[in-house]
Amino acid sequence: MAQRGGQAQGQDNIFRIAPYYFIHVLDQNTNVTKIEIGPQTYIRQDNERVVFGPEKMTVVPPRHYCVVENPVLRDKDGKVVVDKSGQVKLQHADLEIRLAQDPFPLYPGEVLKQPVTPLKIVPANSALRLRAVLDYEDESGEKRTAGDEWLFEGPGTYIPRKEVVVDETIRATVVRPNQAIRLRARKECNDREGTDRVTGEEWLMKKTGAYLPGAYEEVVDIVNAYVLTDKKALHMRALRTFKDDFGVTRKNGEEWLITLKDTETHIPNVYEEVVGVVNITTLNNRQYCVILDPCDDLGRPQLGQKKLIKGERSFFLLPGEQLEKGIQNVYILGEDEGLILRANEAFKDGSVERKPGDRWMIRGPVEYVPPVEVDVLMKRQTIPLDENEGIYVRDVKTGKVRAITGATYMLNQDEELWEKQLPPVVEQLLAGGKDPLADRADRGGDATRSTKPRDRTHVVSFRVPHNAAVQIYDYKEKKARVVFGPELVMLGPDEQFTQLSLSGGKPKKPNQIKSLCLLLGPDFCTDIITVETADHARLSLQLSYNWHFETGSKTPEDAAKLFSVPDFTGDACKAIASRIRGAVAQVQFDDFHKNSAKIIRSSVFGFDANSKVREKFTFPQNNLVITSIDIQSVEPVDQRTRDALQKSVQLAIEITTNSQEAAARHEAERLEQEAKGRLERQKIVDEAEAEKSRRHLLELQAQSAAVESTGQAKAEAQSRAESARIEGEAAVEQAKLKAQAMKIEAESELERLTSAREAELKYVSEQNDLELNKSKELAAIESTKFRSMVEAIGASTLATMASAGTETQVKMLQALGLKSTLITDGTSPINLFTTASGLIGGMALSKRRRLSDDEDNDDV
């Protein structure tokens, strides 16, 4: 059986241990394990057992190491110490680090805890943080106690010790310009500058370059410096009481600014934090600002105070300061502008003593910067007003409201614009802006066409159309005035329009037309009324009245009469309808049907002293005059009356229709007879023409039949002759083509046979050449092989092999350890020489066979 580094033979009794290999052998009688090191052939005894190996020795090359656990004990000369039973002594639970040396075996009990490992090379700007696990004294004489930590700094090669473990590899941190390293002490120590540090203490290292932290130091962070400019500053806060980089003692929680005047770059200390970057506040010559809680010269905030700063100026807001309303522009007032001011505390304004709450106004042109004691309430501008425009102004002290029109006006500090409220209906009528004369059809419709809302502080104005009147009532003076158009009406603060709500529609319904102005006419209105005659025939009359108002001299008394009747259309239509109903009730239906216009006009207008119908009908209450009446339609209300009238009308229509139908029928019959005569005559003419066409058709058919029979016979004869000619030519051409095909086939077959014979000859010739070359090369290879084997073995070796003979067999028997042993079956003797020769011959024969197989494989 093959083993690593050796061979076993004869049921694992013989072990051939190669050089630099070893085995562990257990003596089962003494229970002691010993080591056997090669090169040797080890014959195992019956009481022995190989428990380990063959195994290769451990080789530690230069700049490598390994760790062995439970190493053997050696004396002063370096020899292994064994006890009285022959067992090697071990240093149990101990470790031994072995560096580059000759290959060594592992004794029984030794364990290779760490395989061969390259020594750790520590480059520059790096270090190993080491920790002692046992007390020991190093080569320099320094005593180390268990738990101590220190650094092994590069460049160098670290040689490990069993008393020391490597916790971690530390790399140097590169500190660039405007950077610092924030360090923390893991325990009490001295830093690289010799300063004592306590556990948990933090500090900054600002030196530019690579910094390697100490054994008890750790890097918390890399702090970048803040670059300060003339437009940026740092807002700092102290985390504890300390002295900053500028030598100023800062209290815990204190805040301050660092500007370009102090330093160009600043790295925050460990006991200070950056609250934020403060941008510079810049004011031009037209700006100002108010600072709340300003700081004094010592940086202490003055709570509750204000400070006014005017431009041009640039400054930083100190901690605790803030702008009241940001950066504000200086008030530049023109000639038409002003400011309303109010004092929030007592102060002296020039020669005037101002008290808290005082209000006053300044007018332009001026540049004004309000002091901290003054609040700007609002900015006023002059309001330019045309002679037809105005505003309502209210005095905040007295409460009096007045209208200002036709002048440019600026409100003072005690005045404000007043909004005049109007009823919603009046608002809609004013927003519509319709001329009542423009479209009568829209009187009862939606009057809100304008989408622009009314400015309630402006004086309410209304354009009174031509031939119209508007009544305005003053609630303060309790008087009304009437304005005739065309005129522009402007309402005072206490004036309101008199709204008209008139009847409309057919028949008249109340509150259909909303209007602010009263049209004076002439105009018309239409109404539908129901009357009943003396014989109880109920009729529906649609009447149209022409009317107008008589204004006379337009005195206030006459003008007031126009608006004395709120719904003049409804009242006038009711009065006229009552008169017509009374007159119609006194006559029969036939009389009213014949004289309806006369009856209605006489009932409305009446008769004068000459028994003639008057020309007009006047209402004295409001001077409304009805000038004429138009009867547009008369329809019976009763269904029976309506049916009778409809029958009479239908009868008249039927008589007229029958007469017209008879005349039309007679005319149609006459036209029909004339058409039939023309049709019969045309029919006869058409039949004669058809007979002529039929005769001509028969003649053409006979001619075509003769031509058809002659042409068919001729075509058949010609086709048969042409067919015979074509068949003869095709047979001749086919014979020629067949002869050419046979010639081509014969030539191609001859050419194919010639090519095949030539290729076969060429193949046989090349194959013979290849066989000849192969035989020559095999002969050369065999001769070269034999020559090489003879040269490799050598003449002396061959001579030795030839003369070995019996001596070799004797040595083989001695190697087996046989002295006086004889093996026989009792019937035939055994020759030991012959046995050994057969054994050696069999082994040599098998070896030659393997060599022959290998040579054949090489040849292939």
Side-chain angles (χ1 to χ4, degrees), residues 50 72 149 299 311 331 359 374 380 405 424 432 454 480 512 537 541 577 602 639 643 648 741 843:
V50 177
V72 296
E149 296 181 5
Y331 291 95
R359 293 164 58 104
V374 175
R380 291 280 173 83
T405 59
R454 179 181 68 87
Q512 294 297 309
L541 306 179
S602 61
Q639 186 65 31
D643 293 341
S648 63
M843 293 178 64

Side-chain angles (χ1 to χ4, degrees), residues 514-700:
K514 307 290 184 181
S515 179
L516 297 179
C517 62
L518 177 65
L519 299 179
L520 300 179
D523 202 347
F524 70 93
C525 65
T526 303
D527 192 13
I528 297 176
I529 62 175
T530 303
V531 297
E532 187 175 357
T533 60
D535 54 355
H536 302 291
R538 300 180 72 242
L539 304 174
S540 176
L541 306 179
Q542 182 171 343
L543 306 175
S544 179
Y545 316 123
N546 291 334
W547 57 268
H548 68 274
F549 286 96
E550 290 184 352
T551 57
S553 59
K554 295 184 180 181
T555 60
E557 292 77 7
D558 294 339
K561 282 186 176 182
L562 298 175
F563 294 90
S564 61
V565 179
D567 186 7
F568 73 92
T569 57
D571 293 346
C573 290
K574 288 179 182 178
I576 295 173
S578 64
R579 288 191 173 207
I580 294 174
R581 289 191 188 97
V584 174
Q586 298 175 4
V587 298
Q588 297 293 327
F589 174 72
D590 294 337
D591 295 339
F592 178 75
H593 191 64
K594 297 177 181 179
N595 304 312
S596 59
K598 182 178 180 180
I599 294 171
I600 292 175
R601 287 179 59 83
S602 61
S603 64
V604 175
F605 296 113
F607 298 94
D608 58 4
N610 297 327
S611 297
K612 292 183 178 181
V613 180
R614 293 189 180 95
E615 299 294 334
K616 62 181 180 179
F617 173 51
T618 305
F619 292 91
Q621 293 82 2
N622 57 352
N623 294 332
L624 177 64
V625 178
I626 306 298
T627 58
S628 65
I629 298 176
D630 180 22
I631 304 173
Q632 295 181 346
S633 66
V634 177
E635 294 181 359
V637 178
D638 189 6
Q639 186 65 31
R640 290 179 299 174
T641 306
R642 187 181 302 171
D643 293 341
L645 288 176
Q646 187 175 2
K647 286 181 180 180
S648 63
V649 172
Q650 288 179 354
L651 183 60
I653 293 173
E654 184 177 356
I655 294 171
T656 305
T657 303
N658 291 334
S659 63
Q660 292 177 354
E661 286 181 354
R665 187 168 56 255
H666 292 160
E667 182 67 22
E669 290 177 354
R670 184 182 65 81
L671 294 176
E672 184 180 359
Q673 292 297 328
E674 292 179 356
K676 285 183 178 180
R678 288 194 301 270
L679 179 61
E680 290 294 334
R681 186 169 58 250
Q682 185 67 33
K683 185 176 180 181
I684 294 171
V685 174
D686 291 342
E687 287 180 354
E689 292 293 332
E691 288 298 330
K692 292 180 181 180
S693 299
R694 189 177 295 108
R695 186 188 64 183
H696 184 64
L697 174 62
L698 293 174
E699 292 177 354
L700 293 177

Side-chain angles (χ1 to χ4, degrees), residues 729-840:
E729 293 179 354
V732 173
E733 185 68 24
Q734 184 176 6
K736 290 181 179 180
L737 294 175
K738 187 178 294 185
Q740 291 179 0
M742 293 176 65
K743 181 180 179 181
I744 292 172
E745 289 180 358
E747 291 177 353
S748 62
E749 182 65 20
L750 179 60
E751 185 178 358
R752 184 184 67 80
L753 293 175
T754 303
S755 300
R757 297 296 181 268
E758 291 178 355
E760 185 177 358
L761 291 175
K762 186 177 179 181
Y763 170 74
V764 172
S765 175
E766 291 179 355
Q767 188 175 12
N768 294 334
D769 293 341
L770 290 175
E771 290 292 338
L772 180 59
N773 293 333
K774 179 180 179 182
S775 300
K776 291 180 179 180
E777 291 177 358
L778 288 176
I781 291 171
E782 287 294 333
S783 61
T784 305
K785 176 181 176 183
F786 183 75
R787 187 183 301 110
S788 300
M789 291 174 61
V790 171
E791 292 176 354
I793 296 174
S796 58
T797 304
L798 293 175
T800 304
M801 291 174 62
S803 61
T806 307
E807 184 181 356
T808 303
Q809 297 177 3
V810 173
K811 289 182 179 180
M812 288 296 298
L813 294 176
Q814 290 177 356
L816 292 175
L818 300 178
K819 295 181 180 180
S820 58
T821 301
L822 178 64
I823 300 173
T824 179
D825 57 357
T827 58
S828 60
I830 294 176
N831 192 343
L832 294 179
F833 297 103
T834 305
T835 302
S837 177
L839 179 60
I840 296 173

Side-chain angles (χ1 to χ4, degrees), residues 240-252:
R240 55 170 286 183
T241 302
F242 76 104
K243 183 178 290 187
D244 62 8
D245 297 340
F246 308 104
V248 181
T249 302
R250 303 293 182 181
K251 302 293 184 180
N252 189 4

Side-chain angles (χ1 to χ4, degrees), residues 152-170:
F152 178 81
E153 298 182 9
T157 302
Y158 173 68
I159 306 299
R161 295 179 62 97
K162 65 179 181 179
E163 300 89 356
V164 180
V165 295
V166 179
D167 284 343
E168 63 176 338
T169 301
I170 301 175

Side-chain angles (χ1 to χ4, degrees), residues 6 35 131 135 198 250 253 298 310 377 559 624 627 645 666 704 797 820:
I35 186 171
R131 176 168 51 87
D135 296 344
V198 298
R250 303 293 182 181
L298 299 178
K310 301 178 183 179
L377 298 182
L624 177 64
T627 58
L645 288 176
H666 292 160
S704 65
T797 304
S820 58

